[in-house]
Amino acid sequence: MTKFAVKHSGPVLIPVRGSEKQFPVNMVYCVGRNYAAHAREMGTDERQPPLFFSKPGWTVNAAGSNIPYPSSTSDLQHEIELVLAMGSEQNIYGFAVGVDLTRRDLQARAKREGRPWFSAKVFTGAAPVSKIIPTDDNFDFSNLMLELSVNGEVRQSASCRDMIWSPADIIRNLAGEAQVKSGDLIFTGTPAGVSTIKKEDKIHAEINGVVGLDFTII
Ligand code: MN
């Protein structure tokens, strides 16, 4: 048996719906600008190739209950996203709904200064994810509808049909740049309607009729 020199933290675990099994999180990859209307609201051209960034696995908040308002920002924003849960051999194991929480003011500054998005995207609780719904590679994601509300008011509502890059396109492109392994989560980009959230806001994100996620900013 391997003896570790320091305590081995182990992966964050996400429950799989309808199963006793847990999904062990490895990398969290994210796609930027994958819906034309959101690319426009961010002031960019929608015809760019997919833009990838990543979050550490520890940013995943599987319980989806309370998320502390992060430090160093006065503009925390929500981005609802379809999340792919990867199995082996770059096959899709399942999917979930997630929220790519973003310190938008730090992202704007990073863009201005030509710096990485690290501080905009990486903080405790930055990637809340619902239970995982197992599926197979033939699943038609274009029929899924994403909807996010803040304190009961709908802020984002869109069809996965409007994604610029499909799940298969994203996986193929990402695998050309980095390793895609079992346990990886891929956030596939957010539709239009991102907005500022504050302490005590209750966020509900769902893939209509399939799976939901609730959390409160504290
Ligand atoms: Mn995003």
Side-chain angles (χ1 to χ4, degrees):
M1 199 173 124
T2 305
K3 289 188 174 176
F4 294 108
V6 295
K7 181 176 175 287
H8 180 48
S9 303
V12 169
L13 302 174
I14 305 178
V16 174
R17 195 170 71 182
S19 165
E20 303 271 287
K21 294 177 184 167
Q22 301 279 320
F23 183 89
V25 176
N26 183 45
M27 283 295 297
V28 180
Y29 292 112
C30 306
V31 183
R33 305 166 193 160
N34 199 27
Y35 291 78
H38 174 65
R40 284 194 295 272
E41 79 181 351
M42 291 284 111
T44 53
D45 186 331
E46 70 247 36
R47 289 159 302 180
Q48 303 279 339
L51 174 154
F52 295 109
F53 61 94
S54 65
K55 299 192 179 206
W58 58 258
T59 60
V60 172
N61 185 326
S65 50
N66 290 331
I67 294 178
Y69 192 92
S71 63
S72 312
T73 185
S74 53
D75 192 10
L76 179 66
Q77 296 199 359
H78 57 78
E79 299 188 354
I80 186 174
E81 309 198 6
L82 167 68
V83 178
L84 306 174
M86 299 305 296
S88 51
E89 309 291 324
Q90 296 167 19
N91 290 311
I92 295 171
Y93 169 78
F95 67 93
V97 63
V99 181
D100 170 17
L101 290 173
T102 302
R103 293 191 270 216
R104 191 72 70 202
D105 43 0
L106 300 192
Q107 186 188 36
R109 192 168 76 197
K111 286 178 177 177
R112 249 188 345 260
E113 297 177 353
R115 292 183 172 187
W117 290 4
F118 180 87
S119 57
K121 295 290 191 178
V122 178
F123 48 90
T124 298
V129 173
S130 72
K131 285 185 177 178
I132 288 172
I133 315 299
T135 185
D136 61 52
D137 281 309
N138 298 319
F139 187 80
D140 184 2
F141 291 97
S142 65
N143 290 324
L144 299 180
M145 294 288 299
L146 302 175
E147 188 171 284
L148 180 140
S149 59
V150 179
N151 304 323
E153 178 193 317
V154 176
R155 299 272 180 91
Q156 292 186 276
S157 180
S159 168
C160 290
R161 194 178 306 279
D162 295 333
M163 293 169 80
I164 297 169
W165 302 93
S166 70
D169 290 336
I170 290 167
I171 294 165
R172 190 173 52 251
N173 274 279
L174 180 58
E177 292 187 27
Q179 291 190 20
V180 177
K181 301 174 82 161
S182 58
D184 290 347
L185 295 176
I186 305 175
F187 279 63
T188 59
T190 196
V194 299
S195 71
T196 301
I197 47 179
K198 299 187 163 59
K199 269 190 186 179
E200 299 184 15
D201 280 346
K202 293 184 190 313
I203 287 88
H204 176 71
E206 68 172 63
I207 296 175
N208 289 3
V210 183
V211 67
L213 165 69
D214 288 280
F215 60 91
T216 302
I217 305 294
I218 58 167

